[in-house]
Amino acid sequence: MAPPMSLTIPELAEQEGISAATLYNWRKQARARGQVLPSRSATPDQWTSQEKFRIVLETAPMNEAEFSAYCRAHGLYPEQVEAWREACMNANADAAEQEKQQRKARKAEQKKLRELERELRRKDKALAETAALLTLSKKAEAIWGRNDEDE
């Protein structure tokens, strides 16, 4: 299961004659101990974010020779790990930028909401005024009768 072979569990079960359930349990236990074992895919670019992050953390304190040996032992290209490291380093910057954009969008939405509420209040007042005028005109008609100018 582990790099550089990175066989899938069904392949390994068939090759070694061990049940797939046992291999899944072993992989789960190894991951719990902190080992990097690929899931669903044999190619490192399709590993989970947690697996990539664990590789970045493991290789961070290594010098160039140790790093190269580690990559060879795990079936990785140094460029892949460097790209993952760069992505990890920029993750917080991206999150900060997204948060800034979300704040701007939230402010714009709040401003639009205030404008809509203001317009709604204005229309409610106009409707109330129209209803009051209609009521007054009906009362006036009832008291004084119909005005000749209305016809």
Side-chain angles (χ1 to χ4, degrees):
M1 280 185 275
M5 296 292 287
S6 297
L7 295 174
T8 63
I9 289 184
E11 292 171 341
L12 190 60
E14 184 179 322
Q15 182 180 0
E16 298 297 326
I18 302 171
S19 76
T22 301
L23 291 172
Y24 281 114
N25 286 332
W26 288 351
R27 183 177 70 181
K28 184 177 179 181
Q29 291 169 2
R31 284 183 176 163
R33 289 190 311 267
Q35 266 187 300
V36 178
L37 295 173
S39 56
R40 295 180 222 85
S41 169
T43 60
D45 285 332
Q46 295 176 346
W47 288 359
T48 65
S49 296
Q50 292 86 358
E51 291 167 334
K52 291 176 182 179
F53 184 64
R54 191 174 294 133
I55 293 284
V56 168
L57 288 178
E58 288 177 3
T59 59
M62 295 180 182
N63 63 33
E64 194 172 332
E66 293 170 332
F67 178 63
S68 296
Y70 181 91
C71 289
R72 280 191 302 277
H74 288 83
L76 300 168
Y77 291 105
E79 296 81 21
Q80 288 174 315
V81 179
E82 289 298 329
W84 298 342
R85 181 176 292 141
E86 187 67 30
C88 290
M89 290 171 57
N90 292 331
N92 287 333
D94 293 343
E97 183 63 32
Q98 288 175 354
E99 179 66 28
K100 185 177 178 181
Q101 290 174 353
Q102 287 174 349
R103 262 188 266 122
K104 278 185 177 181
R106 196 171 26 247
K107 280 186 178 181
E109 288 173 1
Q110 288 174 343
K111 183 178 180 181
K112 181 72 173 170
L113 180 63
R114 283 193 301 270
E115 289 173 5
L116 290 171
E117 287 173 343
R118 190 178 313 122
E119 184 178 345
L120 182 60
R121 282 192 301 270
R122 182 186 61 79
K123 288 182 178 181
D124 281 345
K125 287 178 184 178
L127 183 61
E129 184 179 340
T130 303
L133 287 173
L134 181 62
T135 304
L136 284 175
S137 68
K138 285 185 179 184
K139 283 184 180 181
E141 184 179 320
I143 293 173
W144 293 303
R146 210 163 153 81
N147 192 351
D148 290 337
E149 294 175 10
D150 291 341
E151 294 177 21

